[in-house]
Amino acid sequence: QPHGYRHCQNHRTKNQPGHADQTALHKTSVDLNGPYGETQNPPIKVSLGQDGRMNSSDTSSWTRSKSFALIFALYVIAVTGALVIASAIGTEHPVKGLIWGYVASVVFLYIASQIVSNGSTFDAWWSVIPPSFAIWFCIVLDDPGKFSDADLRRLAVAVCATLWGLRLTANWAIGWTGLDHEDWRYRMLYETAPMPRWAVSLTSVHLFPLIVVTLGSIPMAIVASQSDSDRGFGVLDVIALVIALTGVALQQFADLDLRRFNRTKQPGDVLNTGLWSRSRHPNYLGEMCWWWSLFLFVLAADPGSWWAGIGAVAMTVMFYTASIPIAEKRSAERRPGWDAYKASTPMVFPRIRK
Protein backbone atom coordinates (compact mmCIF):
# COMPACT_ATOMS: atom_id res chain seq x y z
CA GLN A 1 0.00 0.00 0.00
CA PRO A 2 1.83 2.13 -2.31
CA HIS A 3 0.03 1.14 -1.06
CA GLY A 4 0.90 2.55 -1.70
CA TYR A 5 1.60 1.94 -0.77
CA ARG A 6 5.19 2.45 1.60
CA HIS A 7 8.74 2.34 1.13
CA CYS A 8 10.13 3.50 4.35
CA GLN A 9 13.17 1.88 5.52
CA ASN A 10 13.08 1.45 9.25
CA HIS A 11 16.73 0.87 8.58
CA ARG A 12 19.39 -0.24 10.96
CA THR A 13 23.13 0.20 10.72
CA LYS A 14 25.24 -2.87 11.16
CA ASN A 15 27.18 -3.30 14.38
CA GLN A 16 25.41 -0.39 16.01
CA PRO A 17 24.10 -1.17 19.49
CA GLY A 18 20.62 0.00 20.01
CA HIS A 19 17.05 -0.20 20.99
CA ALA A 20 14.87 -3.21 20.53
CA ASP A 21 13.62 -3.27 16.99
CA GLN A 22 10.18 -4.54 16.17
CA THR A 23 10.18 -3.53 12.56
CA ALA A 24 9.63 -6.15 9.89
CA LEU A 25 9.92 -5.93 6.13
CA HIS A 26 7.01 -3.83 4.96
CA LYS A 27 5.13 -3.74 1.91
CA THR A 28 6.00 -0.21 -1.36
CA SER A 29 4.18 0.51 -2.01
CA VAL A 30 1.99 3.27 -0.34
CA ASP A 31 2.25 6.07 2.70
CA LEU A 32 -0.64 7.46 4.03
CA ASN A 33 -1.64 4.82 1.86
CA GLY A 34 0.48 4.00 -0.78
CA PRO A 35 3.31 1.76 -1.34
CA TYR A 36 3.75 -0.46 1.31
CA GLY A 37 6.06 -0.95 3.89
CA GLU A 38 9.67 -0.59 4.11
CA THR A 39 8.80 0.38 2.77
CA GLN A 40 6.53 -0.81 0.42
CA ASN A 41 4.15 -0.42 0.63
CA PRO A 42 2.40 2.91 -2.64
CA PRO A 43 1.26 4.83 -0.74
CA ILE A 44 -0.20 5.52 5.62
CA LYS A 45 0.60 3.59 2.64
CA VAL A 46 3.64 4.56 1.31
CA SER A 47 4.19 4.92 4.67
CA LEU A 48 2.42 1.96 5.76
CA GLY A 49 4.57 -0.79 6.82
CA GLN A 50 4.00 -4.20 8.19
CA ASP A 51 5.19 -3.94 11.71
CA GLY A 52 3.49 -5.64 14.56
CA ARG A 53 0.51 -7.87 14.84
CA MET A 54 -3.05 -7.65 15.93
CA ASN A 55 -4.08 -9.67 18.91
CA SER A 56 -7.76 -9.20 18.31
CA SER A 57 -9.89 -12.25 18.95
CA ASP A 58 -11.57 -11.50 15.63
CA THR A 59 -8.37 -12.20 13.69
CA SER A 60 -6.27 -14.48 15.88
CA SER A 61 -7.83 -17.60 14.37
CA TRP A 62 -6.84 -16.65 10.82
CA THR A 63 -3.94 -18.68 9.45
CA ARG A 64 -1.76 -17.25 6.71
CA SER A 65 -3.27 -19.55 4.08
CA LYS A 66 -6.85 -18.72 5.12
CA SER A 67 -5.99 -15.01 5.13
CA PHE A 68 -4.62 -15.15 1.59
CA ALA A 69 -7.63 -17.14 0.40
CA LEU A 70 -9.90 -14.41 1.74
CA ILE A 71 -7.79 -11.65 0.20
CA PHE A 72 -7.81 -13.41 -3.17
CA ALA A 73 -11.60 -13.78 -3.08
CA LEU A 74 -12.11 -10.17 -2.01
CA TYR A 75 -9.93 -8.82 -4.81
CA VAL A 76 -11.53 -10.98 -7.47
CA ILE A 77 -14.86 -9.48 -6.47
CA ALA A 78 -13.47 -5.94 -6.14
CA VAL A 79 -11.68 -5.95 -9.50
CA THR A 80 -14.54 -7.64 -11.33
CA GLY A 81 -17.06 -5.22 -9.87
CA ALA A 82 -14.91 -2.21 -10.73
CA LEU A 83 -14.50 -3.30 -14.35
CA VAL A 84 -18.21 -4.13 -14.71
CA ILE A 85 -19.07 -0.62 -13.53
CA ALA A 86 -16.50 0.92 -15.91
CA SER A 87 -17.96 -1.17 -18.76
CA ALA A 88 -21.49 -0.02 -17.90
CA ILE A 89 -20.38 3.61 -18.02
CA GLY A 90 -18.90 2.93 -21.45
CA THR A 91 -15.52 2.99 -23.13
CA GLU A 92 -16.31 6.42 -24.55
CA HIS A 93 -15.92 7.75 -20.98
CA PRO A 94 -12.74 6.04 -19.71
CA VAL A 95 -11.91 8.64 -17.07
CA LYS A 96 -15.39 8.48 -15.55
CA GLY A 97 -15.30 4.68 -15.71
CA LEU A 98 -11.95 4.57 -13.93
CA ILE A 99 -13.08 6.94 -11.17
CA TRP A 100 -16.32 5.12 -10.40
CA GLY A 101 -14.70 1.72 -10.72
CA TYR A 102 -12.04 2.73 -8.19
CA VAL A 103 -14.69 4.13 -5.84
CA ALA A 104 -16.77 0.94 -5.98
CA SER A 105 -13.75 -1.26 -5.24
CA VAL A 106 -12.79 0.86 -2.22
CA VAL A 107 -16.33 0.88 -0.82
CA PHE A 108 -16.47 -2.91 -1.07
CA LEU A 109 -13.04 -3.42 0.52
CA TYR A 110 -13.82 -0.92 3.29
CA ILE A 111 -16.93 -2.89 4.23
CA ALA A 112 -14.88 -6.10 4.19
CA SER A 113 -12.22 -4.53 6.42
CA GLN A 114 -14.88 -3.60 8.99
CA ILE A 115 -16.28 -7.12 8.98
CA VAL A 116 -12.90 -8.72 9.73
CA SER A 117 -11.69 -5.74 11.85
CA ASN A 118 -8.44 -5.37 9.89
CA GLY A 119 -7.48 -2.48 7.64
CA SER A 120 -4.69 -4.50 6.05
CA THR A 121 -7.25 -6.17 3.82
CA PHE A 122 -6.83 -2.97 1.80
CA ASP A 123 -3.03 -3.12 1.53
CA ALA A 124 -2.91 -4.74 -1.90
CA TRP A 125 -5.45 -2.37 -3.49
CA TRP A 126 -2.74 0.18 -4.36
CA SER A 127 -0.90 -2.30 -6.58
CA VAL A 128 -3.80 -4.41 -7.91
CA ILE A 129 -6.40 -1.96 -9.23
CA PRO A 130 -4.25 0.25 -11.54
CA PRO A 131 -2.76 -2.69 -13.49
CA SER A 132 -6.21 -4.25 -13.80
CA PHE A 133 -7.55 -1.10 -15.46
CA ALA A 134 -4.45 -0.64 -17.63
CA ILE A 135 -4.89 -4.17 -19.02
CA TRP A 136 -8.63 -3.68 -19.47
CA PHE A 137 -8.10 -0.41 -21.35
CA CYS A 138 -5.56 -2.12 -23.59
CA ILE A 139 -8.06 -4.84 -24.48
CA VAL A 140 -11.30 -2.90 -24.95
CA LEU A 141 -9.97 0.29 -26.54
CA ASP A 142 -7.71 -1.13 -29.24
CA ASP A 143 -7.95 0.39 -32.72
CA PRO A 144 -9.89 -2.06 -34.93
CA GLY A 145 -8.29 -3.61 -37.97
CA LYS A 146 -4.63 -2.84 -37.20
CA PHE A 147 -2.04 -2.46 -34.49
CA SER A 148 -1.61 1.30 -34.32
CA ASP A 149 0.75 3.65 -32.50
CA ALA A 150 -2.06 4.33 -30.03
CA ASP A 151 -2.32 0.58 -29.41
CA LEU A 152 1.44 0.42 -28.88
CA ARG A 153 1.23 3.18 -26.27
CA ARG A 154 -1.67 1.47 -24.49
CA LEU A 155 0.32 -1.77 -24.52
CA ALA A 156 3.43 -0.03 -23.13
CA VAL A 157 1.40 1.42 -20.26
CA ALA A 158 -0.25 -1.95 -19.57
CA VAL A 159 3.07 -3.83 -19.55
CA CYS A 160 4.72 -1.28 -17.25
CA ALA A 161 1.70 -1.22 -14.94
CA THR A 162 1.65 -5.02 -14.78
CA LEU A 163 5.36 -5.28 -13.94
CA TRP A 164 5.02 -2.54 -11.32
CA GLY A 165 1.89 -4.09 -9.79
CA LEU A 166 3.16 -7.67 -9.74
CA ARG A 167 6.41 -6.66 -8.10
CA LEU A 168 4.75 -4.49 -5.48
CA THR A 169 2.04 -7.03 -4.68
CA ALA A 170 4.57 -9.87 -4.43
CA ASN A 171 6.73 -7.81 -2.08
CA TRP A 172 3.72 -7.20 0.13
CA ALA A 173 2.69 -10.86 0.06
CA ILE A 174 6.15 -12.06 1.07
CA GLY A 175 6.11 -9.95 4.22
CA TRP A 176 2.43 -10.27 5.18
CA THR A 177 1.75 -12.85 7.87
CA GLY A 178 -2.03 -12.82 7.50
CA LEU A 179 -5.02 -11.34 9.30
CA ASP A 180 -3.32 -11.78 12.66
CA HIS A 181 -1.36 -8.70 11.57
CA GLU A 182 -2.35 -5.09 10.95
CA ASP A 183 0.02 -2.37 9.84
CA TRP A 184 1.48 -0.53 12.84
CA ARG A 185 0.75 2.83 11.24
CA TYR A 186 -2.94 1.99 11.03
CA ARG A 187 -2.91 1.05 14.69
CA MET A 188 -1.03 4.24 15.54
CA LEU A 189 -3.76 6.25 13.81
CA TYR A 190 -6.51 4.32 15.59
CA GLU A 191 -4.91 5.17 18.93
CA THR A 192 -4.09 8.84 18.30
CA ALA A 193 -6.78 10.21 15.97
CA PRO A 194 -9.73 11.95 17.67
CA MET A 195 -12.22 9.73 15.83
CA PRO A 196 -13.67 6.25 16.25
CA ARG A 197 -11.76 3.43 14.61
CA TRP A 198 -14.23 3.00 11.73
CA ALA A 199 -13.90 6.68 10.82
CA VAL A 200 -10.10 6.57 10.89
CA SER A 201 -10.16 3.51 8.67
CA LEU A 202 -12.59 5.19 6.27
CA THR A 203 -10.71 8.48 5.95
CA SER A 204 -7.01 7.69 6.43
CA VAL A 205 -6.72 4.05 5.39
CA HIS A 206 -9.22 3.98 2.49
CA LEU A 207 -10.34 7.43 1.33
CA PHE A 208 -6.95 9.12 1.24
CA PRO A 209 -5.29 6.50 -1.00
CA LEU A 210 -8.42 6.39 -3.16
CA ILE A 211 -8.01 10.09 -3.92
CA VAL A 212 -4.27 9.97 -4.53
CA VAL A 213 -4.19 6.77 -6.60
CA THR A 214 -7.20 7.89 -8.66
CA LEU A 215 -5.47 11.15 -9.50
CA GLY A 216 -2.31 9.26 -10.35
CA SER A 217 -4.20 6.79 -12.57
CA ILE A 218 -6.22 9.27 -14.65
CA PRO A 219 -3.37 9.50 -17.21
CA MET A 220 -3.94 5.81 -18.02
CA ALA A 221 -7.52 6.56 -18.99
CA ILE A 222 -6.52 9.58 -21.09
CA VAL A 223 -3.85 7.57 -22.90
CA ALA A 224 -6.38 4.79 -23.52
CA SER A 225 -8.88 7.22 -25.05
CA GLN A 226 -6.52 8.46 -27.77
CA SER A 227 -6.96 7.01 -31.26
CA ASP A 228 -4.40 6.43 -34.00
CA SER A 229 -5.48 9.68 -35.63
CA ASP A 230 -3.84 11.52 -32.74
CA ARG A 231 -0.12 11.46 -31.92
CA GLY A 232 2.19 8.60 -32.86
CA PHE A 233 4.49 6.65 -30.56
CA GLY A 234 7.61 8.79 -30.25
CA VAL A 235 10.61 9.88 -28.21
CA LEU A 236 8.56 11.02 -25.21
CA ASP A 237 6.91 7.59 -25.04
CA VAL A 238 10.34 5.95 -25.01
CA ILE A 239 11.48 8.26 -22.20
CA ALA A 240 8.32 7.43 -20.23
CA LEU A 241 8.91 3.71 -20.78
CA VAL A 242 12.52 3.95 -19.59
CA ILE A 243 11.55 5.92 -16.47
CA ALA A 244 8.76 3.44 -15.61
CA LEU A 245 11.04 0.41 -15.95
CA THR A 246 13.81 2.19 -14.05
CA GLY A 247 11.38 2.83 -11.21
CA VAL A 248 10.37 -0.84 -11.09
CA ALA A 249 14.04 -1.90 -11.10
CA LEU A 250 14.92 0.54 -8.31
CA GLN A 251 12.14 -0.83 -6.13
CA GLN A 252 13.08 -4.43 -6.83
CA PHE A 253 16.80 -4.08 -6.08
CA ALA A 254 16.11 -1.93 -3.02
CA ASP A 255 13.76 -4.59 -1.64
CA LEU A 256 16.31 -7.33 -2.33
CA ASP A 257 18.93 -5.34 -0.40
CA LEU A 258 16.45 -4.89 2.42
CA ARG A 259 15.45 -8.54 2.53
CA ARG A 260 19.06 -9.71 2.70
CA PHE A 261 19.76 -7.18 5.44
CA ASN A 262 16.76 -8.27 7.50
CA ARG A 263 18.07 -11.82 7.65
CA THR A 264 21.18 -10.76 9.62
CA LYS A 265 20.30 -7.41 11.20
CA GLN A 266 20.82 -6.67 14.87
CA PRO A 267 18.64 -4.32 16.96
CA GLY A 268 19.48 -0.71 16.16
CA ASP A 269 21.27 -1.48 12.88
CA VAL A 270 20.85 0.83 9.89
CA LEU A 271 20.82 -0.46 6.34
CA ASN A 272 23.54 1.55 4.62
CA THR A 273 24.67 -0.71 1.79
CA GLY A 274 23.60 -1.18 -1.82
CA LEU A 275 21.03 1.33 -3.06
CA TRP A 276 20.40 2.36 0.54
CA SER A 277 23.96 3.72 0.71
CA ARG A 278 23.08 6.26 -1.97
CA SER A 279 19.50 7.13 -0.99
CA ARG A 280 17.64 6.84 2.29
CA HIS A 281 14.45 5.99 0.38
CA PRO A 282 15.26 4.30 -2.94
CA ASN A 283 11.90 2.52 -2.93
CA TYR A 284 10.05 5.81 -2.74
CA LEU A 285 12.17 7.13 -5.60
CA GLY A 286 11.20 4.12 -7.70
CA GLU A 287 7.53 4.61 -6.86
CA MET A 288 7.63 8.27 -7.86
CA CYS A 289 9.32 7.31 -11.15
CA TRP A 290 6.34 5.10 -11.96
CA TRP A 291 3.73 7.80 -11.41
CA TRP A 292 5.73 10.46 -13.26
CA SER A 293 6.14 8.08 -16.21
CA LEU A 294 2.34 8.00 -16.54
CA PHE A 295 2.35 11.78 -16.80
CA LEU A 296 4.94 11.58 -19.61
CA PHE A 297 2.83 9.00 -21.42
CA VAL A 298 -0.17 11.31 -21.28
CA LEU A 299 1.90 14.24 -22.60
CA ALA A 300 3.03 12.04 -25.48
CA ALA A 301 -0.58 11.09 -26.25
CA ASP A 302 -2.25 14.45 -25.68
CA PRO A 303 -0.19 17.51 -24.59
CA GLY A 304 -3.44 19.35 -23.92
CA SER A 305 -4.03 17.00 -20.98
CA TRP A 306 -1.05 18.39 -19.06
CA TRP A 307 -3.39 18.98 -16.12
CA ALA A 308 -3.35 15.22 -15.47
CA GLY A 309 0.10 15.77 -13.96
CA ILE A 310 -1.75 16.66 -10.74
CA GLY A 311 -1.65 12.95 -9.91
CA ALA A 312 2.14 12.69 -10.02
CA VAL A 313 2.39 15.95 -8.08
CA ALA A 314 -0.01 14.62 -5.41
CA MET A 315 2.04 11.43 -5.09
CA THR A 316 5.26 13.40 -4.71
CA VAL A 317 3.75 15.71 -2.11
CA MET A 318 2.46 12.71 -0.17
CA PHE A 319 5.89 11.10 -0.06
CA TYR A 320 7.69 14.26 0.97
CA THR A 321 5.16 15.51 3.53
CA ALA A 322 3.77 12.28 5.01
CA SER A 323 5.48 9.01 4.14
CA ILE A 324 9.10 10.07 4.46
CA PRO A 325 8.72 12.21 7.61
CA ILE A 326 6.82 9.41 9.39
CA ALA A 327 9.44 6.83 8.44
CA GLU A 328 12.38 9.04 9.37
CA LYS A 329 10.92 10.04 12.72
CA ARG A 330 10.47 6.40 13.65
CA SER A 331 13.98 5.51 12.50
CA ALA A 332 15.55 8.39 14.43
CA GLU A 333 13.79 7.24 17.60
CA ARG A 334 14.90 3.62 17.25
CA ARG A 335 18.32 3.63 15.59
CA PRO A 336 21.36 5.22 17.26
CA GLY A 337 23.25 5.44 13.97
CA TRP A 338 20.45 7.15 12.10
CA ASP A 339 21.73 10.72 12.44
CA ALA A 340 25.13 9.80 10.98
CA TYR A 341 23.46 7.88 8.16
CA LYS A 342 21.13 10.80 7.47
CA ALA A 343 24.03 13.26 7.36
CA SER A 344 25.94 11.21 4.80
CA THR A 345 23.12 9.92 2.58
CA PRO A 346 20.69 11.94 0.41
CA MET A 347 17.03 11.60 1.29
CA VAL A 348 15.66 10.55 -2.12
CA PHE A 349 17.77 11.43 -5.15
CA PRO A 350 21.10 9.60 -4.93
CA ARG A 351 24.56 10.93 -5.46
CA ILE A 352 26.17 9.30 -8.46
CA ARG A 353 29.45 9.32 -6.61
CA LYS A 354 29.82 8.75 -2.90
Side-chain angles (χ1 to χ4, degrees):
Q1 83 304 334
H3 58 127
Y5 309 355
R6 288 182 308 279
H7 301 88
C8 14
Q9 181 187 164
N10 282 318
H11 342 288
R12 323 140 208 327
T13 242
K14 282 225 178 225
N15 302 322
Q16 284 251 344
H19 313 309
D21 192 330
Q22 44 183 344
T23 305
L25 174 64
H26 315 315
K27 155 184 169 183
T28 224
S29 59
V30 254
D31 312 4
L32 270 149
N33 269 330
Y36 322 117
E38 250 347 83
T39 201
Q40 241 192 28
N41 270 206
I44 304 175
K45 268 181 175 149
V46 109
S47 229
L48 293 173
Q50 329 237 349
D51 294 337
R53 302 191 173 203
M54 288 182 56
N55 294 317
S56 166
S57 59
D58 293 334
T59 59
S60 59
S61 63
W62 285 90
T63 64
R64 192 167 189 263
S65 58
K66 285 175 60 178
S67 298
F68 273 109
L70 175 63
I71 293 298
F72 179 79
L74 290 177
Y75 277 85
V76 168
I77 296 170
V79 170
T80 301
L83 295 180
V84 167
I85 288 173
S87 298
I89 291 173
T91 55
E92 65 274 16
H93 302 293
V95 174
K96 184 186 294 185
L98 180 144
I99 292 172
W100 285 109
Y102 276 33
V103 168
S105 68
V106 171
V107 169
F108 171 74
L109 291 171
Y110 170 72
I111 293 172
S113 76
Q114 297 307 293
I115 293 174
V116 300
S117 300
N118 192 319
S120 284
T121 53
F122 189 65
D123 284 351
W125 180 85
W126 179 289
S127 56
V128 169
I129 287 292
S132 300
F133 268 80
I135 294 169
W136 181 73
F137 284 143
C138 190
I139 294 171
V140 302
L141 290 174
D142 63 311
D143 288 324
K146 62 176 180 176
F147 186 76
S148 66
D149 280 358
D151 287 326
L152 179 58
R153 184 178 294 116
R154 281 188 283 266
L155 178 61
V157 171
V159 169
C160 291
T162 301
L163 292 174
W164 166 79
L166 285 175
R167 194 219 67 80
L168 195 57
T169 304
N171 193 56
W172 163 75
I174 289 170
W176 193 55
T177 62
L179 287 174
D180 64 337
H181 158 89
E182 186 169 23
D183 192 292
W184 67 267
R185 293 174 181 82
Y186 298 155
R187 293 184 287 109
M188 177 188 71
L189 289 171
Y190 298 153
E191 294 168 2
T192 60
M195 294 186 290
R197 179 186 172 111
W198 67 265
V200 175
S201 181
L202 175 63
T203 56
S204 298
V205 178
H206 291 81
L207 182 59
F208 180 81
L210 168 63
I211 294 170
V212 176
V213 176
T214 300
L215 290 175
S217 299
I218 284 175
M220 295 194 309
I222 296 174
V223 167
S225 68
Q226 303 304 303
S227 69
D228 192 39
S229 61
D230 299 312
R231 297 167 62 89
F233 195 92
V235 174
L236 194 53
D237 292 289
V238 174
I239 294 172
L241 182 63
V242 169
I243 290 176
L245 296 178
T246 299
V248 172
L250 278 173
Q251 291 179 302
Q252 177 63 15
F253 286 113
D255 284 335
L256 289 175
D257 286 340
L258 185 60
R259 202 167 290 124
R260 283 192 294 267
F261 173 74
N262 278 339
R263 288 197 290 265
T264 60
K265 71 179 185 291
Q266 297 297 318
D269 283 355
V270 175
L271 173 54
N272 59 359
T273 59
L275 290 176
W276 302 90
S277 69
R278 298 180 180 275
S279 168
R280 302 200 299 275
H281 302 280
N283 280 2
Y284 285 135
L285 176 59
E287 185 72 11
M288 286 186 277
C289 284
W290 158 246
W291 295 106
W292 279 103
S293 75
L294 288 181
F295 173 58
L296 294 180
F297 274 122
V298 87
L299 286 183
D302 178 18
S305 295
W306 57 267
W307 55 267
I310 187 64
V313 171
M315 286 286 179
T316 304
V317 170
M318 179 190 70
F319 282 111
Y320 275 94
T321 63
S323 302
I324 290 175
I326 289 174
E328 298 221 329
K329 181 176 183 293
R330 185 173 175 85
S331 291
E333 292 171 348
R334 292 168 176 263
R335 285 162 256 303
W338 178 259
D339 287 341
Y341 172 71
K342 181 177 180 180
S344 63
T345 310
M347 183 168 69
V348 175
F349 291 96
R351 297 192 188 101
I352 303 302
R353 296 180 180 178
K354 293 185 180 180

